[in-house]
Amino acid sequence: AAPLLDRSGNAYLQMVTSHMLRHIGGYRGSAGEEERLARTVLELAEETSNVQGKCWGAYDAASALARQGKIASSMKKMQDSFSALTDERFQMTEPIRASTYGFVLLQASQFSAAREAAGNAWQIVFKCPIDVSMLCLPVLIESIAGPMWISNHTKLDAPLLRKLLRWAIVAHYSYPSHQPHLRRVVGRALWSLGKHRKAIRVFKNAIQLAANKQMDYQRGRSLLDLAAVHEEGRSQNRAQAIGLLKTMESVIPRAEAWLLGDQYDEAVVAPEFDLEAWERENGCVRMERPINH
């Protein structure tokens, strides 16, 4: 029995390590690298019959697939993640899973649904306010600002955005891994609130932070956002962003294809996706029982 326990223990540690490396891959690596790590988590979870690991590996894979624009496959992995853990309650897993689902929905151009998912995560994140669970904040801000953040935003959301921007300041200094993502979405929120000059400064800061931290996915996204609102260097910024996204094997939501301007490239845009039609055929993605807040 001892060798079996030892082998199982090693597999479990490898699974946890691969899971944490997947998060790092989501920040710095290509979507393909992120997916390979996610597959390792799933394989080790199967080997150890670990249901929590199956949940982790499924949403790990969903994140990577969504970045690649494989939206239908990503939704199936999110469905697997929700079904792997239902009645069980893990304070770390719940907000990360809901945040990841929010990101997947953003990539699918389902901004309202993303807002609901990230909002669920935000309500419970302080049960376990660690780096990887805080993804819900930038996802929530991004979903509220919407795909057409460049136009004036409804006044109804302004108070909530301002409140979340204050939290973003705290998160910026508390969770360095999220800094480029946070700054990018803060820039969007500021622009939608009419603070245009400040937004441009924040986009530039997001680009610099992403470059310093070697986070090329967020650097590409930030370059596109800056190009949308700042004429100087627009063509070069868009070209560089497209190159970075291709290197990162990543796409932007189809609802944001306008960001590419006259350099539209189908290779960096997610495909059309109808969530309602997908769920009619495959069943609801979300868990049947809502998260207990």
Side-chain angles (χ1 to χ4, degrees), residues 43-56:
E43 290 169 6
L44 291 167
E46 289 289 344
E47 181 180 333
T48 57
S49 299
N50 187 288
V51 292
Q52 189 173 19
K54 292 177 183 179
C55 173
W56 294 347

Side-chain angles (χ1 to χ4, degrees), residues 105-139:
L105 289 165
L106 286 180
Q107 289 294 96
S109 295
Q110 304 289 325
F111 281 73
S112 295
R115 177 173 178 170
E116 180 182 356
N120 280 337
W122 180 244
Q123 292 184 58
I124 60 173
V125 72
F126 291 102
K127 292 181 179 179
C128 187
I130 60 176
D131 188 297
V132 291
S133 67
M134 199 51 65
L135 173 64
C136 57
L137 181 55
V139 170

Side-chain angles (χ1 to χ4, degrees), residues 23-44:
H23 283 289
I24 295 172
Y27 297 134
R28 294 189 175 186
S30 69
E33 293 168 353
E34 186 181 5
E35 185 183 1
R36 284 189 288 275
L37 287 164
R39 299 296 179 190
T40 300
V41 176
L42 283 171
E43 290 169 6
L44 291 167

Side-chain angles (χ1 to χ4, degrees), residues 11-23:
Y12 177 78
L13 290 175
Q14 291 170 21
M15 181 187 71
V16 173
T17 300
S18 296
H19 178 54
M20 297 310 297
L21 288 173
R22 196 287 302 175
H23 283 289

